[in-house]
């Protein structure tokens, strides 16, 4: 699994506004949220694939992230 995924997750988590924006998008358009996460990674020079994001989120022991997965189950 890419180390970039964990770095990207921490970067997104550190920005509450961005986190909320992605959460809202995940509720409406899970695949779009996944694409947005990958785009953020590219812009931060932390490229990730959708599969790397999914794999990283699947192993997190974080209640907030698990909530994302439950609500956005169809795409993430």
């Amino acid at each position: 699994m890419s180390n970039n995924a964990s770095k990207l997750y921490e970067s997104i988590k550190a920005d509450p506004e961005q986190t909320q924006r992605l959460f809202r998008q995940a509720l409406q358009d899970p695949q779009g949220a996944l694409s947005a996460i990958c785009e953020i990674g590219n812009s931060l020079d932390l490229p990730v694939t959708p599969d790397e994001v999914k794999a990283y989120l699947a192993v997190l022991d974080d209640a907030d992230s698990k909530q994302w997965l439950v609500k956005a189950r169809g795409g993430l």
Side-chain angles (χ1 to χ4, degrees):
M1 180 184 333
S2 168
N3 190 35
N4 285 351
S6 66
K7 291 177 183 176
L8 178 57
Y9 177 80
E10 290 304 319
S11 176
I12 291 171
K13 190 175 174 182
D15 183 343
E17 186 176 308
Q18 185 175 55
T19 300
Q20 285 296 345
R21 189 170 44 248
L22 286 168
F23 180 73
R24 285 190 299 271
Q25 183 174 7
L27 291 174
Q28 300 288 324
D29 177 17
Q31 288 298 323
L34 188 56
S35 294
I37 290 167
C38 293
E39 289 173 18
I40 293 166
N42 287 335
S43 72
L44 296 175
D45 200 27
L46 296 169
V48 293
T49 66
D51 288 336
E52 288 171 330
V53 173
K54 290 177 192 179
Y56 184 73
L57 290 175
V59 300
L60 284 178
D61 188 24
D62 174 334
D64 291 337
S65 298
K66 290 191 188 295
Q67 183 73 11
W68 270 56
L69 294 174
V70 168
K71 293 199 181 241
R73 188 175 214 148
L76 297 174

